[in-house]
Amino acid sequence: PIKSSAASDVYKRQILMLDTITYGDDISLDKFKTLGEVITYRTSTQEEALQRIKEIQPDVVVTNKVVITKELFEASPNIKMVAETATGYNNIDIEYAKAHQIRVANVAGYSTESVVQHTFALLFYVYEKLRYYDEYVKSGEYVKSPCFTHFDKVFNELSGKTWGIAGLGSIGRRVADVAKAFGCRVVYFSASGHTYDTEFKRVSFDELLENSDIISIHAPLNDKTNNLFDDAAFAKMKKNAVLLNLGRGPIVNNAALTKALKENIIAGAGLDVIDKEPIAADNPLLEIQDSSKLIITPHIAWATYEARVRLMDEVYENIKAFEAGESRNAVAVSYTHLTLPTT
């Protein structure tokens, strides 16, 4: 473990960070030293997390992927707050936290611009066949070309195409704005049935599939979106369509997408999320090595440097707000506050 704190003779509250690998070694955690003694681990298994909480008896636990169960809570009666370094907090036993007046606070909206940017990065990599053209030049073939140009892999303009969005939340809406700026006609599908106050037209799922040239997924995972894009869905899509998933992996059926790409049912796909992460060795999508059809990135859409800095700035502010008795970003609100030492 790495322990650090500001110089002081007063007792330092224990702030335990269980998986700093999830926000990167290049992000400074120095400001957290003003709030107490900071103990960091790059990774923690569930068993390791339990042992570390028992030994350290932290006041604050900072987590991303480690599941904070009842057992982990009970391992340290000192825990007064769990700071989630993400938007989702389904890895925390919220009911236990509420029942025992333990603050849980998450962070929302920190990565919107990053995810929007990555959405278009995935699209253009596939849509303009960029790997093929880069390799054509670097292989030496362009040196031997009798012509100044080469366009054996056909690609199209984005302007005038229909961009369908599944999930018009804050990210989906920003994608819609950018797609409109590129000249696209934007429509959206809402699995919940909600109609948003927007200029963009809400359509049925079948209309989304049948009419869209590009479909990007920015929806949460729930009973209505799980396995939403299956064999039947791909069969309704245009043969020149590109699917982008920046929502949750299980929204897209891996086997169905693999079949759709292999059999040219759709033209291409860009994925930043997979049903199991890291990707399983037997995932059928790994069979597709043609990057003009499929690009997969390892859940990095959110992870620009700027977004990760914002994330940890927000976590710091959440802990500091708890010190002041404020309910900033609280998803489980305790009736006490954390008295932290002054420095």
Side-chain angles (χ1 to χ4, degrees):
I2 299 173
K3 295 184 178 182
S4 59
S5 62
S8 175
D9 294 331
V10 300
Y11 169 73
K12 289 291 181 180
R13 299 293 182 182
Q14 305 291 299
I15 301 173
L16 173 61
M17 297 184 170
L18 290 170
D19 47 8
T20 62
I21 193 174
T22 60
Y23 34 92
D25 297 333
D26 56 338
I27 303 301
S28 174
L29 303 176
D30 286 349
K31 66 170 60 180
F32 288 91
K33 299 174 189 177
T34 66
L35 302 178
E37 183 178 27
V38 182
I39 305 101
T40 65
Y41 292 89
R42 294 192 78 243
T43 62
S44 298
T45 64
Q46 285 300 125
E47 294 76 16
E48 289 171 338
L50 177 61
Q51 188 61 36
R52 288 162 183 173
I53 287 174
K54 282 181 179 179
E55 292 176 357
I56 295 166
Q57 294 291 299
D59 302 279
V60 179
V61 175
V62 181
T63 186
N64 182 282
K65 294 300 182 186
V66 176
V67 180
I68 308 302
T69 61
K70 177 183 177 181
E71 183 182 20
L72 266 63
F73 274 123
E74 291 180 340
S76 174
N78 286 346
I79 296 176
K80 303 173 184 68
M81 179 181 187
V82 178
E84 176 72 66
T85 62
T87 302
Y89 47 88
N90 59 312
N91 61 323
I92 300 170
D93 188 334
I94 293 294
E95 294 309 312
Y96 184 96
K98 289 180 178 177
H100 292 80
Q101 298 185 10
I102 298 170
R103 168 69 59 83
V104 175
N106 69 337
V107 182
Y110 64 93
S111 64
T112 297
E113 295 304 319
S114 296
V115 178
V116 172
Q117 175 177 301
H118 199 69
T119 299
F120 286 86
L122 292 178
L123 172 72
F124 288 125
Y125 186 83
V126 173
Y127 207 59
E128 294 205 344
K129 311 294 189 287
L130 294 181
R131 179 172 176 176
Y132 168 80
Y133 285 112
D134 181 48
E135 290 181 348
Y136 171 76
V137 173
K138 291 175 180 175
S139 70
E141 289 302 309
Y142 189 38
V143 173
K144 300 179 287 186
S145 175
C147 182
F148 77 96
T149 189
H150 175 83
F151 40 83
D152 279 11
K153 289 277 189 180
V154 175
F155 58 101
N156 302 98
E157 287 185 350
L158 191 53
S159 180
K161 302 299 186 293
T162 296
W163 188 301
I165 295 176
L168 199 70
S170 58
I171 294 174
R173 192 168 300 209
R174 283 290 294 124
V175 169
D177 290 338
V178 177
K180 179 186 174 184
F182 273 107
C184 292
R185 170 182 175 264
V186 178
V187 297
Y188 74 94
F189 163 71
S190 171
S192 67
H194 184 73
T195 299
Y196 293 90
D197 181 16
T198 176
E199 65 182 287
F200 307 116
K201 181 182 178 182
R202 178 185 156 198
V203 297
S204 68
F205 188 51
D206 281 352
E207 289 177 292
L208 184 88
L209 298 171
E210 293 167 2
N211 299 325
S212 298
D213 299 289
I214 300 99
I215 295 177
S216 61
I217 302 169
H218 309 284
L221 179 64
N222 53 45
D223 291 342
K224 294 181 179 179
T225 60
N226 187 40
N227 205 43
L228 184 63
F229 285 82
D230 56 9
D231 285 319
F234 289 120
K236 295 175 182 177
M237 290 175 64
K238 293 183 176 182
K239 286 190 176 296
N240 65 344
V242 172
L243 177 74
L244 308 170
N245 189 7
L246 294 101
R248 289 293 180 264
I251 295 175
V252 176
N253 182 288
N254 291 334
L257 177 56
T258 303
K259 177 184 176 183
L261 292 171
K262 284 185 172 181
E263 298 181 6
N264 298 316
I265 295 171
I266 66 171
L271 311 175
D272 186 57
V273 288
I274 301 294
D275 59 350
K276 181 181 178 182
E277 297 171 349
I279 193 168
D282 61 353
N283 190 313
L285 290 168
L286 293 176
E287 299 170 12
I288 301 175
Q289 295 296 305
D290 183 355
S291 290
S292 66
K293 282 192 171 184
L294 175 66
I295 177 174
I296 303 174
T297 52
H299 206 140
I300 60 168
W302 67 278
T304 60
Y305 175 78
E306 292 83 358
R308 290 182 289 116
V309 168
R310 279 194 297 272
L311 171 65
M312 296 315 292
D313 283 349
E314 287 293 299
V315 171
Y316 169 81
E317 292 297 335
N318 285 346
I319 299 173
K320 187 178 177 182
F322 186 36
E323 172 189 0
E326 300 169 359
S327 61
R328 185 180 196 271
N329 290 333
V331 294
V333 182
S334 65
Y335 297 101
T336 59
H337 66 277
L338 182 63
T339 302
L340 294 170
T342 56
T343 58

